[in-house]
Amino acid sequence: MPVLPSIPPGGVRGGKEEIRAALLKPYLLRLRKERGERHASSVLLTAGVDPQALDSESAWLSASRARRALRVFAQELGERSLEHRGSWALHPETLGTHMRMLRAAKTPHDAYQFLAANGSEWTRVGTWEIDEP
């Protein structure tokens, strides 16, 4: 899970600080399974997050909206759910955006290199790097 930057009072200033909405899909799927579609949609909409955006592989969320969604997921599923996505990370609906990486990677290290090299596909918040020994 990417670490989101702190948001200054009054909102984001500067460039687009967004993350790919699909990164939150495992949490959405779990919330729907455990609490139901209607409840999941209701709590997300109350927080100002469109659940349909989280279903889209190509949608982007502002860092502040992503933060709001993560707060909802932590409140509804427990704080530890953000640390451990479990089997939801491998759910077929969450793998769509990761397929290029899965096809290219032969080892976990290959996967991390792919993510670092293609970070702009996942986040507009910052860059990712790998420190090689």
Side-chain angles (χ1 to χ4, degrees), residues 56-115:
S56 172
E57 290 185 8
S58 60
W60 289 90
L61 285 178
S62 67
S64 61
R65 276 210 162 88
R67 190 179 305 280
R68 280 186 259 160
L70 288 170
R71 284 189 193 110
V72 166
F73 295 133
Q75 182 178 16
E76 294 290 321
L77 302 171
E79 291 287 331
R80 303 280 301 170
S81 69
L82 299 183
E83 297 173 24
H84 304 286
R85 295 181 298 167
S87 62
W88 295 103
L90 301 175
H91 190 281
E93 288 186 50
T94 65
L95 292 178
T97 56
H98 293 87
M99 289 310 294
R100 284 192 325 123
M101 177 200 60
L102 293 172
R103 287 185 188 115
K106 303 291 184 240
T107 66
H109 188 263
D110 293 343
Y112 285 114
Q113 286 182 316
F114 182 92
L115 290 174

Side-chain angles (χ1 to χ4, degrees), residues 18-82:
E18 299 172 313
I19 67 165
R20 185 73 71 180
L23 289 173
L24 302 178
K25 183 80 175 247
Y27 307 114
L28 175 63
L29 293 172
R30 180 176 170 198
L31 182 58
R32 285 177 175 162
K33 176 73 171 175
E34 292 183 12
R35 304 287 163 83
E37 174 76 35
R38 182 180 268 159
H39 180 78
S41 293
S42 175
V43 294
L44 286 166
L45 287 170
T46 300
V49 179
D50 180 4
Q52 290 181 334
L54 299 182
D55 274 325
S56 172
E57 290 185 8
S58 60
W60 289 90
L61 285 178
S62 67
S64 61
R65 276 210 162 88
R67 190 179 305 280
R68 280 186 259 160
L70 288 170
R71 284 189 193 110
V72 166
F73 295 133
Q75 182 178 16
E76 294 290 321
L77 302 171
E79 291 287 331
R80 303 280 301 170
S81 69
L82 299 183

